[in-house]
Amino acid sequence: MGASTLYGVGIALQAMDARQAPQGEHLRLALARRLVRRPRWLLGTGMSIVGWPLQVVALLLAPLVLVQPALAAGLLVLMVLAQRMLGEHAGRYEHLAMLAIVVGVVGAGLTAPPRTSSHGSEDLAITFVLVGLGLASLLPYVLRLLARHPPAALTMVAAGIAGGWSGIATKLASDDLAQGHVLLAIAWGLSTAAASGVGVLSEMSALQTRPAIQVAPVVFVTQTVIPIVVAPLLFGESFADTPLSGVPLAASLALLVTGAGLLARSQLLVELVAGEPVSHPSGSAPSPSPPRREISRSSPSSDADDPSTPTTSTSPERIWR
């Protein structure tokens, strides 16, 4: 909860500044140079950095297949903050998504496989998986170097892949730390920082061309599902070692990821970042607060694959990574 809350609030602060950057800096280091000069963006980055040791501690206590998806629990904290800060109430849509997260986390916690800390016999597989994920996360930058605008969907998925890489590397750091291999743990920590840097730059670039309500679920689901899929292969966290051959665990994880993906689209969370009025679909209660000024931004119906496209409309901003 601590790690996921810090991650969530941190990326929310980062997203506020990413939207204000020129689209000509899409997928360029110039975007990073601009953002690192902004105190609010640095505060968000600092919160994410502080959250990483908490994730390492969590991985010392529980398997990756539980810790990675359970990071979605921080969305519940953000939803509470959104309601208190905006004076608005969550509707049926948000309540169902929150319930799915709670039930999913509890179910996964009760049925998760035992934690493992040995992966020496899987070094070759780990190398292949990490190299493959690393290359995939860099694909938008390769296209950019070839003077081609990468599709916005590819940039979003690449950001999620980098996040999945970071989750796997964090697991490896915790394993080496548990075995007393401090230098290896530090090396994995540095690689995690590099992967997170690539992921953040991709995500900030995606936020320049697509509304957050589209970016958030894609990035979150991608970076959550990848560690779940590779955990049995790389770390021996087999679903077959859990009750009923893994059926309850799989159902819990599916419920958790679905609920988190839906909650990431909540316009209450969107408004927490952007200060935009909520349109209250699916039973959300109307806001008792005065109307807020709408902010002009990239339209989801525009040709967002080209970062230079100037078309705008009012769309929700992003809250979750």
Side-chain angles (χ1 to χ4, degrees):
M1 283 293 292
S4 59
T5 299
L6 287 168
Y7 287 157
V9 176
I11 199 64
L13 294 173
Q14 290 174 323
M16 294 178 186
D17 286 327
R19 272 291 184 183
Q20 301 172 8
Q23 293 190 5
E25 297 175 352
H26 185 78
L27 291 174
R28 295 185 182 276
L29 288 177
L31 175 60
R33 288 195 295 268
R34 174 183 297 274
L35 293 175
V36 297
R37 294 196 295 266
R38 301 199 175 197
R40 181 172 57 187
W41 193 89
L42 288 175
L43 176 61
T45 302
M47 295 183 72
S48 296
I49 292 173
V50 172
W52 186 75
L54 297 181
Q55 184 180 356
V56 172
V57 172
L59 286 166
L60 290 172
L61 303 172
L64 176 64
V65 75
L66 171 61
V67 172
Q68 191 70 19
L71 291 176
L75 285 170
L76 306 179
V77 177
L78 293 180
M79 180 58 69
V80 173
L81 288 176
Q83 293 184 85
R84 290 190 174 277
M85 293 176 65
L86 303 176
E88 297 173 349
H89 300 287
R92 290 188 298 272
Y93 171 92
E94 288 84 5
H95 285 144
L96 288 175
M98 292 168 70
L99 178 63
I101 293 174
V102 172
V103 173
V105 169
V106 172
L110 293 175
T111 59
R115 179 189 177 276
T116 61
S117 60
S118 176
H119 51 264
S121 61
E122 305 294 343
D123 283 347
L124 185 60
I126 291 172
T127 300
F128 278 125
V129 168
L130 291 182
V131 169
L133 293 177
L135 293 176
S137 68
L138 294 174
L139 187 55
Y141 301 91
V142 174
L143 294 178
R144 183 74 179 188
L145 289 175
L146 297 176
R148 298 181 59 185
H149 293 302
L154 176 61
T155 304
M156 289 186 282
V157 172
I161 291 174
W165 201 105
S166 178
I168 296 171
T170 301
K171 162 64 175 174
L172 293 169
S174 72
D175 286 352
D176 286 325
L177 189 62
Q179 296 174 25
H181 303 152
V182 178
L183 292 181
L184 284 176
I186 292 175
W188 283 120
L190 293 175
S191 71
T192 299
S196 297
V198 172
V200 167
L201 182 58
S202 298
E203 192 169 3
M204 298 299 105
S205 297
L207 286 169
Q208 292 184 302
T209 60
R210 284 288 177 91
I213 205 167
Q214 294 180 10
V215 177
V218 172
V219 176
F220 172 79
V221 171
T222 303
Q223 71 182 14
T224 301
V225 169
I226 287 174
I228 292 175
V229 171
V230 304
L233 171 67
L234 302 184
F235 305 113
E237 298 178 2
S238 175
F239 281 34
D241 297 333
T242 65
L244 298 179
S245 300
V247 173
L249 175 60
S252 298
L253 292 175
L255 185 63
L256 193 163
V257 172
T258 300
L262 293 174
L263 193 59
R265 295 173 58 88
S266 167
Q267 295 189 37
L268 258 180
L269 296 186
V270 162
E271 188 179 357
L272 178 64
V273 176
E276 294 183 357
V278 178
S279 57
H280 305 291
S282 304
S284 296
S287 170
S289 57
R292 295 176 176 83
R293 180 176 58 86
E294 291 188 343
I295 299 175
S296 177
R297 29 170 103 25
S298 300
S299 168
S301 61
S302 66
D303 184 10
D305 292 349
D306 185 349
S308 62
T309 304
T311 54
T312 59
S313 69
T314 53
S315 304
E317 187 55 75
R318 163 165 206 291
I319 187 67
W320 179 253
R321 171 159 78 164

